[in-house]
Amino acid sequence: MSEATTGANIAPAQPLYIKRTSKRWLIAAALITAIVALPVLAVIYLAFSPDENIWPHLMSTTLPRYLLTTLKLMLGVGILALGIGLSSAWAVTMCEFPGRKYFEWAMLLPFAVPAYVIAYVYTSLLDYAGPVQSALRAVFGWTSAADYWFPEIRSLEGAILMIGLVLYPYVYLLARAAFLEQSPSLFEVSRSLGHSAISTFFRIVLPIARPAIAVGLSLVMMETLNDFGTVDFFAVQTLTAGLFDTWMNLGNLGGAAQIASVMLVFVLVLVTLERYSRRRQQQFAARDNREPIRRFTMSFPRQMVCVAVCGIPVLLGFAIPGATLATYAIEYFSESWNPDFIQNTLNSLFLSSAAALTTLAIGVTLAYSRRLHNTRGMQVLMRLSSLGYAMPGAVLAVGVIVPLAGFDNWLDSLMRDYFGFSSGLLLSGSAFALIFAYTVRFLAVSAGSVESALQKITPSMDMASRSLGHTPGKTLVKVHLPMLRGTLITAALVVFVDCMKELPATLILRPFNFETLATYVYQFASDEKLFHSALPALIIVVAGIIPIILMSRSISNSRAMN
């Protein structure tokens, strides 16, 4: 009797302890979310209370032009990426043609090339003094630009082509994954009714895959809004270019924040439209979605069409830029390999590695907190923590610099008053600002990946661990992290490569005399010295291929194929 009473008294102790420790995870998640959301709040605050209100001036002069150009750019890139991504995803998934297996992963290769790099390459190739026009003049005997017409690469249309060629993999990736998840029985029914591959695509496949396509297209639009290197090099006056001009050239941070707030409205509209497009669509996995797909057999001319649909984007988006960069890098290797290049490479590796590890640690904390507290409030915290991924880099830079500079100024004033010396710019003038910006921008990548992987681990694993007396923290370290190793490595690699390519935020937040590979390439290209920027640009491209291979394998292994 006494044993039972003792057991009754002791039993509640362990759940109470677990409840207390798990509550700490919730507090940590809330604190992290508040810090991550700080840049967004800073932009909104500064936009509505600037030191100098130039909003009326912007509205009457440059802002309408920025808005119109940005809309044209986003619309053009969206149409191009949608056309390439959908057609190529359908071809490699449902049609049999020569080289299909290679195109499955090759279609993702342009993803490794930053838009500004491909813009620099094609400008050097297609400009008046470039090899293409020089060859045309030599063949046809033309002596000046007045003798012939050639499309201007440095234009809005050129920017649409450059950005579209490297962003279409967003649509391709998600569309192909959606096609692979569909039921083969739908295709069999369509065939029995006499529908062709094209008819099946428009009548059956496309409506079902619409939610995934909408997500891919919204990502394309947001990345287009984020682009600075291409639009700056081509002198296309978008909102991002206007933000840089207002801040860096006019020195008006409040005006830059006001433009940034307009860009945030664009992001909000894109996210709202994406969710609205799939508001009434609910889908469940088909029972036969693991069965091999019977692809359409086609005539030789149609097979060649499929080869062209897949081959031209890879040729223009990766093969030609890659070959050009490799040629320039080899030819000018002795000049490019110098102490500045080595230092800038180390800077990029340090920043990207630090941001990847920080983002991974925070992502695990948020995802595990969601597992411990699967409430509506925690869902809201997860969404708020992902805001940075939707923010353009230039907007994020404005949001980061405001609170960090405010803290530095407060600390400096305190040190001067009480200790008689200046503390300087400890946060806003150091690499910390860049790592913080990268973490906020790419936190959604790691947190989303870890959360998705955690959902696949049965709750009985947690219960078994806790029954052995382990706290939630020990359960995470001893049980979950070993099982998540592959996911963690993949997420860290993706964040690492994204940080290597990030340009707008890096240009604004980098410390004095501190360059990364991205800014190094930008500086040379701005001075029309593409040859010297080829080696660092090539390194960025090669680094981007690693996560592409991992993503391609993940998609291909998601379903048994013929």
Side-chain angles (χ1 to χ4, degrees), residues 302-447:
R302 292 187 176 182
Q303 291 181 16
M304 292 302 99
V305 170
C306 289
V307 171
V309 165
C310 297
I312 292 176
V314 176
L315 178 67
L316 296 179
F318 181 80
I320 293 178
T324 303
L325 290 176
T327 301
Y328 291 162
I330 294 172
E331 186 176 352
Y332 292 87
F333 181 81
S334 58
E335 299 178 32
S336 301
W337 189 273
N338 53 52
D340 287 340
F341 165 74
I342 296 174
Q343 183 59 54
N344 295 334
T345 302
L346 293 176
N347 291 342
S348 286
L349 293 176
F350 165 70
L351 290 174
S352 300
S353 300
L357 293 176
T358 304
T359 304
L360 201 61
I362 295 175
V364 169
T365 302
L366 289 173
Y368 192 58
S369 300
R370 168 74 185 276
R371 184 177 179 89
L372 294 175
H373 301 274
N374 191 16
T375 62
R376 181 170 296 180
M378 192 62 218
Q379 293 176 8
V380 173
L381 291 180
M382 288 294 293
R383 288 186 179 181
L384 289 176
S385 67
S386 302
L387 284 176
Y389 192 68
M391 291 177 66
V395 176
L396 183 61
V398 175
V400 167
I401 202 69
V402 171
L404 294 189
F407 174 82
D408 284 340
N409 291 333
W410 171 81
L411 183 62
D412 181 70
S413 176
L414 189 68
M415 290 298 177
R416 287 176 183 272
D417 293 341
Y418 288 93
F419 300 100
F421 70 92
S422 173
S423 59
L425 301 177
L426 294 179
L427 300 182
S428 59
S430 66
F432 175 84
L434 278 173
I435 296 174
F436 179 53
Y438 291 164
T439 302
V440 174
R441 174 119 166 81
F442 301 115
L443 178 59
V445 176
S446 62

Side-chain angles (χ1 to χ4, degrees), residues 19-38:
K19 184 177 181 180
R20 287 176 179 174
T21 54
S22 64
K23 192 174 182 179
R24 295 173 189 169
W25 287 88
L26 181 61
I27 295 173
L31 182 61
I32 289 172
T33 302
I35 295 174
V36 169
L38 190 60

